[in-house]
Amino acid sequence: MPPPRRGKGKGKGKGRPTRERGQRALFRRRKFCRFTADKIEWIDYKDLDILRDFINETGKIIPARITGTSAGYQRQLSTAIKRARFLALLPYTDLH
């Protein structure tokens, strides 16, 4: 077995100073589920005002890690968006 390398090579490095990272974390808003906060039982595909908030300008569904939506509601949300698209209530893409 060869001896461990020392000197140049891949190391952890210093990266950015902690002060820069800390400033960015101060302005980050805590994510929360809108549906849990409003105590919505079921997401309806006909409620287009809510569904449009979770679609970006190209027509893609915004993921839960960005919006903060809980997993159960994210499943309902994606199903409702897909139903609304099928019935031509929402566009599939921004080209329509």
Side-chain angles (χ1 to χ4, degrees), residues 2-28:
R5 292 186 183 195
R6 293 193 179 136
K8 294 182 180 180
K10 292 185 179 180
K12 290 190 178 181
K14 296 198 178 195
R16 293 187 179 144
T18 56
R19 187 175 71 229
E20 289 180 21
R21 277 188 251 148
Q23 287 177 347
R24 237 183 292 136
L26 290 175
F27 298 107
R28 190 174 295 164

Side-chain angles (χ1 to χ4, degrees), residues 13 26 30 38 42-43 63 71-72 87 92-93:
L26 290 175
R30 192 180 188 300
D38 294 341
W42 193 256
I43 300 172
L87 295 171
Y92 278 97
T93 61

Side-chain angles (χ1 to χ4, degrees), residues 61-80:
I61 300 172
I62 301 174
R65 64 184 166 79
I66 294 173
T67 60
T69 308
S70 61
Y73 284 114
Q74 184 70 20
R75 283 188 223 103
Q76 289 180 31
L77 183 68
S78 62
T79 304

